[in-house]
């Protein structure tokens, strides 16, 4: 059965480019951006790994650890990382899981046989410090992911954990957010003393800064 939002991210023990890890222990109270890709030495994957490495500062600022995975070996990953660094002008520092036996790929339902029988598609799991899955996405093999969206959704999740708000369509940091309908007007006035605009009783907008 596939994993769903709100499920506990399954724990596992596996080899990575930075040695063996036990997943929950490795996460160590951080958020995790866990993402699979089809294969080493392929063009789209090379750009995605490069982009993740280039964004190391953005992930760290949000207390997020990236963890890649493909069904290749540690030896192949390490040789490929040299290509990623050279062609994407970066220095890849996060671990990549080596899963030639497809153990973790099966656990996380990363192989979609309608797309490919053996290689993982481009899945994303955003996992919070309590090891709850907060977002899942799956992209086909021929389409690279949008890393602005990945950072945006992490910002949105962290904001909605801090405040009783929800993020509207195309929200980006700094935009107004929605006061969650579960909050009465009275409680909303307490949480948002700056005030909010009521377009409909169920649609109230508040500026919470960026
Ligand atoms: C790529 O990363 O470029 C790729 C991998 C598998 C299938 C198609 C493209």
């Amino acid at each position: 059965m596939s994993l769903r939002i709100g499920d506990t991210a399954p724990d596992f023990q596996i080899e990575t480019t930075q040695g063996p890890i036990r997943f929950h222990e490795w996460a160590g109270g951080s958020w995790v951006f866990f993402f699979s890709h089809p294969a080493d030495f392929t063009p789209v994957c090379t750009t995605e790994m490069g982009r993740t490495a280039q964004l190391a500062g953005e992930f760290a600022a949000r207390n997020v650890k990236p963890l890649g995975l493909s069904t290749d070996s540690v030896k192949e990953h390490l040789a490929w990382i040299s290509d990623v660094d050279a062609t994407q002008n970066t220095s890849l520092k996060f671990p990549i899981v080596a899963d030639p036996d497809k153990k973790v790929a099966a656990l996380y339902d990363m192989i979609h046989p309608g797309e490919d029988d053996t290689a993982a598609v481009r899945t994303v799991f955003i996992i919070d410090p309590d090891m709850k899955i907060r977002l899942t996405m799956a992209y086909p093999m021929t389409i690279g992911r949008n890393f602005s969206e990945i950072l945006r959704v992490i910002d949105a999740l962290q904001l909605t954990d801090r405040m009783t708000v929800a993020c509207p369509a195309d929200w980006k940091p700094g935009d107004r957010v929605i006061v969650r309908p579960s909050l009465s007007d009275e409680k909303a006035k307490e949480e948002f003393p700056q005030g909010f605009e009521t377009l409909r009783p169920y649609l109230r907008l508040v500026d919470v800064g960026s």
Side-chain angles (χ1 to χ4, degrees):
M1 196 178 79
S2 60
L3 295 170
R4 293 174 292 196
I5 289 175
D7 289 350
T8 297
D11 201 9
F12 54 83
Q13 210 164 352
I14 196 89
E15 284 296 329
T16 78
T17 49
Q18 296 178 5
I21 62 163
R22 180 171 279 285
F23 179 53
H24 286 193
E25 187 184 71
W26 171 83
S30 292
W31 290 71
V32 178
F33 164 49
F34 186 29
F35 64 113
S36 62
H37 62 270
D40 298 354
F41 303 105
T42 52
V44 177
C45 299
T46 300
T47 63
E48 289 193 320
M49 287 292 157
R51 194 77 188 107
T52 306
Q54 290 161 4
L55 291 171
E58 297 292 335
F59 286 115
R62 293 162 174 82
N63 187 29
V64 178
K65 289 182 168 180
L67 181 65
L69 176 147
S70 79
T71 54
D72 298 305
S73 67
V74 167
K75 196 171 164 209
E76 288 163 316
H77 285 343
L78 291 174
W80 180 46
I81 287 171
S82 302
D83 281 2
V84 173
D85 286 351
T87 63
Q88 307 304 303
N89 194 25
T90 190
S91 177
L92 193 157
K93 299 264 198 284
F94 60 87
I96 304 176
V97 168
D99 192 23
D101 299 334
K102 305 176 181 58
K103 192 178 91 178
V104 179
L107 191 63
Y108 277 75
D109 201 22
M110 290 168 162
I111 295 175
H112 298 193
E115 178 85 341
D116 191 285
D117 280 337
T118 53
V121 295
R122 300 180 195 283
T123 63
V124 173
F125 296 86
I126 305 291
I127 299 165
D128 73 16
D130 295 327
M131 294 292 95
K132 288 269 177 268
I133 295 173
R134 302 294 298 276
L135 174 129
T136 65
M137 295 197 295
Y139 267 58
M141 292 189 170
T142 48
I143 316 250
R145 282 159 279 211
N146 182 329
F147 283 78
S148 302
E149 170 59 6
I150 287 161
L151 293 176
R152 185 195 79 99
V153 85
I154 291 167
D155 285 337
L157 284 166
Q158 294 183 346
L159 175 66
T160 57
D161 280 358
R162 284 198 306 275
M163 298 180 191
T164 318
V165 296
C167 295
D170 293 334
W171 173 87
K172 53 188 185 323
D175 288 352
R176 290 198 298 174
V177 290
I178 292 165
V179 179
R180 262 186 252 162
S182 58
L183 205 64
S184 67
D185 275 346
E186 196 177 52
K187 290 278 179 206
K189 281 176 197 153
E190 283 172 25
E191 185 168 341
F192 307 110
Q194 69 271 41
F196 51 87
E197 184 184 1
T198 301
L199 299 180
R200 291 288 183 278
Y202 60 84
L203 181 52
R204 298 166 294 174
L205 295 171
V206 63
D207 187 345
V208 294
S210 49

